[in-house]
Amino acid sequence: MGKGAAWAEAFLEMMSVERAAAKNTLTAYGRDLADASGFLAGRGRDLADASAEDVEAYFAALGARGLSPATASRRRAAVRQFYRFVMGETWRADDPSRRVEAPRKGRSLPKVLSRDEVDRLIAAAAAKDGAQGLRLACMVELAYASGLRISELTGLTLAALARDPAYLIVKGKGGKERLAPLNNAARTAVRAYLEVRPGFLPKGDPKGPGANPWLFASRGKDGRLTPRRFAQLLDEAAADAGIDPARVSPHVLRHAFATHLLEGGADLRVVQTLLGHADIGTTQIYTHVAGDRLAEVVASKHPLARKR
């Protein structure tokens, strides 16, 4: 293992142990640093001995490769954080990424479904045959009712919902826990799904039917439904509901949860807490999507607006 690769491994270990980074975050950072290493290798360098010119060339190449702005931005951020870590360990006396100014990136507005479209999506999911329909409807109801991330949804355990709770304790990014409410529709969907859940368990499992801990069990090697498979099933339900599948994804259900709360008059800080956002600036993007409703609230509730 070269010096640069060893430093990258130490950086990822620090992110895992000291910052409690989620597995998906660590995977993404590892991929980003590997991408940078591959580029530098073409210049006869690695992460340990790269110059500012090398890093500047890598950052410029990201923009020329047609990557999405979000992916390019994350890769730049990974390299910058890596070199800050290296400086802190005194392995290098300089930071080759410091002089390169990252391009400004506007934040795009999230895709959002209307309430009617969410209702149609749930109905289309439930219309699928038997157990498959009950499982998919349950997943859509939970994602929309609680604003769960896809990793949080597919990572739910049977124990978390076995006793028909009114809310979930969800472990989100960075290992932080938050309360996620469950409305009556979601709880009803969970109860209906639990009746058919045994059908998704591996047949003849020597460990017994209670060995699989996941709520959304699967016969696959992971023992649970994967995020990718859920996204595929969601696309099928969207098409059945007459909605363009390009507008639908597991994360769009989380966007709908937040936007519809704000449209209903929910406080932004409450929505921030429910989503598990560390920074309210991340939550504020939904105020643009729900702009019409918020403008109506100001017009009807603000003292000066009422006087006029």
Side-chain angles (χ1 to χ4, degrees):
M1 180 186 296
K3 186 185 292 186
W7 289 3
E9 187 175 292
F11 168 71
L12 293 174
E13 183 177 355
M14 177 278 296
M15 291 289 291
S16 174
V17 176
E18 296 183 18
R19 301 190 186 178
K23 183 180 179 181
N24 289 347
T25 300
L26 293 173
T27 300
Y29 272 36
R31 191 183 305 119
D32 295 339
L33 292 177
D35 183 76
S37 295
F39 176 88
L40 294 170
R43 297 170 67 94
R45 302 272 195 169
D46 76 355
L47 290 167
D49 62 7
S51 67
E53 289 76 15
D54 294 322
V55 175
E56 187 171 9
Y58 173 64
F59 283 1
L62 290 175
R65 283 161 56 184
L67 299 175
S68 71
T71 298
S73 178
R74 194 196 65 231
R75 289 189 174 171
R76 292 186 185 96
V79 171
R80 290 176 188 278
Q81 288 193 51
F82 167 75
Y83 280 117
R84 280 199 290 270
F85 166 73
V86 167
M87 289 277 289
E89 296 292 321
T90 67
W91 293 339
R92 280 187 64 143
D94 65 315
D95 178 355
S97 70
R98 185 175 181 181
R99 83 173 199 182
V100 187
E101 183 176 349
R104 296 184 178 273
K105 179 175 70 74
R107 179 177 288 180
S108 59
L109 294 177
K111 298 176 183 177
V112 174
L113 299 175
S114 68
R115 299 182 188 188
D116 175 67
E117 287 173 326
V118 172
D119 289 340
R120 283 159 47 198
L121 187 65
I122 293 171
K128 289 187 174 294
D129 292 339
Q132 294 283 345
L134 291 173
R135 180 179 66 177
L136 184 56
C138 178
M139 296 185 80
V140 176
E141 288 273 18
L142 279 176
Y144 178 59
S146 303
L148 299 178
R149 297 180 177 92
I150 179 60
S151 59
E152 296 166 349
L153 179 67
T154 57
L156 288 173
T157 63
L158 177 62
L161 286 112
R163 298 186 178 181
D164 192 21
Y167 60 85
L168 299 171
I169 298 177
V170 179
K171 183 174 288 187
K173 289 186 176 180
K176 295 180 180 178
E177 292 185 340
R178 71 180 191 278
L179 293 180
L182 292 176
N183 58 30
N184 289 333
R187 293 168 70 183
T188 299
V190 169
R191 288 193 295 269
Y193 162 68
L194 288 178
E195 293 292 326
V196 300
R197 178 181 175 274
F200 295 102
L201 297 171
K203 293 183 179 179
D205 189 340
K207 297 179 182 178
N212 189 307
W214 306 111
L215 176 64
F216 298 110
S218 166
R219 294 173 185 167
K221 63 178 182 179
D222 293 333
R224 57 175 167 166
L225 195 75
T226 64
R228 183 175 182 180
R229 180 57 181 154
F230 176 47
Q232 291 172 341
L233 293 172
L234 203 56
D235 282 349
E236 294 174 9
D240 292 342
I243 304 169
D244 182 359
R247 296 181 54 231
V248 180
S249 73
H251 211 63
V252 166
L253 293 174
R254 179 170 158 89
H255 293 325
F257 164 81
T259 304
H260 296 168
L261 280 176
L262 287 171
E263 287 178 346
D267 182 84
L268 190 64
R269 288 285 182 185
V270 172
V271 177
Q272 177 193 3
T273 300
L274 292 173
L275 290 173
H277 286 163
D279 182 358
I280 197 169
T282 307
T283 317
Q284 282 176 328
I285 191 171
Y286 295 104
T287 63
H288 297 288
V289 180
D292 292 343
R293 168 60 184 167
L294 294 175
E296 178 187 334
V297 170
V298 171
S300 61
K301 305 299 183 183
H302 194 280
L304 293 180
R306 287 203 300 270
K307 286 181 180 178
R308 293 194 181 99

